[in-house]
Amino acid sequence: MDTEGTEEFLLPRSRMANERLHAMIPGGAHTYAKGDDQYPENLAPVISHGRGAHVWDIDDNRYVEYGSGLRSVSLGHAHPRVIEAVRRELDRGSNFVRPSIVEVEAAERFLATVPTAEMVKFAKNGSDVTTAAVRLARAVTGRPRVAICGDHPFFSVDDWFIGTTPMSAGIPTTTTELTVAFPYGDLAATEELLTRYQDEVACLILEPAGHTEPPPGYLAGLRELADRHGCVLIFDEMITGLRWSEAGAQGLYGVVPDLSTFGKALGNGFAISALAGRRDLMERGGLRHSGDRVFLLSTTHGAETHSLAAAMAVLTTYVEEGVTARLHTLGERLAAGVRDAAAGMGVGDHIVVQGRASNLVFATLDENRQPSQQYRTLFLRRLLAGGVLAPSFVVSSALSDADIDYTVDVVAQACAVYRKALDAADPTPWLAGRPVKPVFRRRA
């Protein structure tokens, strides 16, 4: 069998570093989606440094990088405006026994950029703020159940969500039973769920958009359903925030949730997230109300001055430089190039680019046009060998047209190998090891 395209691409230093990681860190990474099981066997590069749209591994290979920092680094690594803002604060101290004036300034900047929100509270990661939103919804409604969109992959590391995944070990079923699911885009099914659990559902939580645009009237319909059934509408804008518009998907689509959560792009790699929403709800976690107090968010490091400074610089850069529009332009160029390259090699029905231009992912389909981890492995292997690190095709604004053209050339070469594997109806000879694995699975 012809296995052209399987010439060795070796990462000896990265391989040794991965062994050291596994010896000390469960899973070999601090985020499951960064684990070496997500990459072809022995081809998980360990990063030395990054600048702009490029990263270098400890084997001295340079890559054009996509999905940087799990979509958090949308301006590119070490962005000058962000780094300068952070440096200014580092010499002034980062954490005090009372709020810093930077907290005032960051809140004002955020609320000016996301005018659909009336109050904001900052934290360090997305799970903290989504869980705070759920807790607040339960408190204000007095209801126990959480309704999640079952078509969206992740909301929180906390029990109310993780208990619904295959990695539910350690989570009591009594907790999991309080989380129910509704399908994206189906108002009738959501209303049936709310009726079935009449007066029990505290909130509807979902990403306002994903790989497809919301059906016409869908988000407005959810808003009406939430109002009619007395539950809280929560938009998880971890991904859509800034990438859809500076004011998030709620700003783009004109539907205002009761609460929303932001993160990822907000800090361009620095640790910051935000819970935002209606004053009357948010204040329940404050001191200026007469009801029972809600332990909303209280984090030692949530308001570190350098992370807040990073967020302000990010928001300013997005607004002043039209970053969201640039992300869409770059994504459209990349999507068109990849689709043309795949079609030209006869695999246009097998390598499928999906999603909004600023948030592109790809599906790898087998000879029966079914999703395939084996073909994903083959594709990733060829991209890595060509100098493209792309678990997705999510762009950063630091990419140049030349970077995208280079990426498309590498994709075309990968597609040629993909075509050979399809013709053989067996990608195994091109894998050189075990296939990549899904993040959420019961067994290692």
Side-chain angles (χ1 to χ4, degrees):
M1 181 179 292
D2 179 7
T3 58
E4 178 187 350
T6 60
E7 63 270 14
E8 287 199 276
F9 170 62
L10 302 175
L11 300 176
R13 292 177 183 170
S14 291
R15 185 174 180 178
M16 287 189 290
N18 277 312
E19 287 302 312
R20 291 165 60 197
L21 284 164
H22 277 283
M24 296 177 288
I25 301 166
H30 287 94
T31 310
Y32 284 115
K34 294 184 181 183
D36 57 4
D37 60 337
Q38 303 300 292
Y39 292 84
E41 190 167 3
N42 298 324
L43 289 187
V46 174
I47 304 302
S48 165
H49 62 287
R51 185 163 299 277
H54 300 98
V55 295
W56 287 258
D57 67 21
I58 59 175
D59 293 283
D60 297 323
N61 299 299
R62 186 179 82 157
Y63 305 87
V64 181
E65 187 195 38
Y66 293 89
S68 311
L70 303 182
R71 295 179 172 89
S72 67
V73 184
S74 61
L75 299 177
H77 299 290
H79 187 274
R81 291 182 74 165
V82 177
I83 295 301
E84 179 56 33
V86 169
R87 284 200 181 108
R88 282 198 303 269
E89 292 303 325
L90 289 177
D91 288 335
R92 295 163 54 86
S94 62
N95 206 334
F96 313 105
V97 76
R98 278 283 293 147
S100 162
I101 189 64
V102 179
E103 297 179 45
V104 178
E105 296 165 349
E108 289 174 340
R109 185 72 55 84
F110 180 90
L111 294 172
T113 309
V114 187
T116 42
E118 296 175 320
M119 297 187 83
V120 63
K121 197 158 190 180
F122 296 112
K124 280 299 181 195
N125 61 70
S127 293
D128 283 349
V129 291
T130 52
T131 290
V134 166
R135 184 186 303 120
L136 182 56
R138 282 171 160 163
V140 299
T141 62
R143 299 173 177 181
R145 294 190 187 274
V146 177
I148 64 171
C149 181
D151 297 313
H152 294 159
F154 188 81
F155 290 105
S156 175
V157 301
D158 293 299
D159 289 1
W160 64 269
F161 172 70
I162 290 296
T164 69
T165 75
M167 294 177 72
S168 60
I171 300 172
T173 55
T174 51
T175 298
T176 304
E177 288 168 354
L178 293 176
T179 301
V180 294
F182 62 92
Y184 188 79
D186 191 335
L187 290 174
T190 306
E191 179 156 33
E192 190 279 328
L193 182 78
L194 292 171
T195 301
R196 188 190 331 153
Y197 297 108
Q198 188 70 40
D199 299 329
E200 294 184 39
V201 175
C203 61
L204 300 171
I205 182 168
L206 73 157
E207 296 178 41
H211 299 328
T212 59
E213 287 292 291
Y218 173 63
L219 295 179
L222 276 184
R223 174 73 277 172
E224 189 275 331
L225 276 179
D227 290 340
R228 181 150 48 86
H229 287 268
C231 55
V232 176
L233 181 61
I234 304 170
F235 282 177
D236 178 341
E237 297 239 35
M238 292 297 150
I239 294 173
T240 55
L242 296 177
R243 285 191 180 273
W244 263 240
S245 81
E246 290 84 0
Q250 58 196 276
L252 178 65
Y253 300 125
V255 176
V256 181
D258 299 303
L259 300 170
S260 55
T261 58
F262 289 76
K264 294 195 182 289
L266 185 58
N268 200 54
F270 286 91
I272 186 165
S273 60
L275 169 64
R278 282 169 36 194
R279 180 176 301 278
D280 63 315
L281 298 184
M282 294 286 288
E283 190 59 77
R284 289 289 297 273
L287 298 175
R288 297 184 175 182
H289 68 95
S290 59
D292 290 344
R293 296 182 67 195
V294 178
F295 195 93
L296 185 59
L297 278 169
S298 185
T299 55
T300 299
H301 302 291
E304 285 177 324
T305 56
H306 56 275
S307 290
L308 295 177
M312 287 192 285
V314 168
L315 292 169
T316 300
T317 301
Y318 262 81
V319 172
E320 292 184 356
E321 298 184 11
V323 172
T324 303
R326 174 164 173 74
L327 293 174
H328 280 79
T329 298
L330 290 167
E332 287 167 354
R333 182 186 182 101
L334 177 63
V338 170
R339 287 168 180 146
D340 287 347
M345 293 295 173
V347 296
D349 293 332
H350 301 273
I351 295 176
V352 182
V353 180
Q354 302 169 320
R356 194 169 180 85
S358 60
N359 188 55
L360 296 171
V361 297
F362 57 82
T364 50
L365 309 183
D366 63 17
E367 54 274 8
N368 299 314
R369 299 183 185 176
Q370 296 301 307
S372 168
Q373 294 294 99
Q374 287 188 305
Y375 279 96
R376 179 175 174 84
T377 307
L378 178 156
F379 191 57
L380 289 176
R381 187 175 181 84
R382 299 315 312 156
L383 294 184
L384 286 163
V388 175
L389 181 56
S392 69
F393 283 142
V394 176
V395 297
S396 76
S397 66
L399 288 160
S400 67
D401 288 348
D403 289 327
I404 290 178
D405 292 344
Y406 175 82
T407 300
V408 171
D409 286 343
V410 172
V411 167
Q413 296 168 35
C415 288
V417 179
Y418 204 113
R419 182 67 261 172
K420 293 176 185 292
L422 286 171
D423 290 341
D426 179 14
T428 306
W430 289 271
L431 301 189
R434 53 107 183 109
V436 300
K437 300 179 181 180
V439 170
F440 289 116
R441 60 187 192 275
R442 191 168 298 277
R443 304 286 184 181

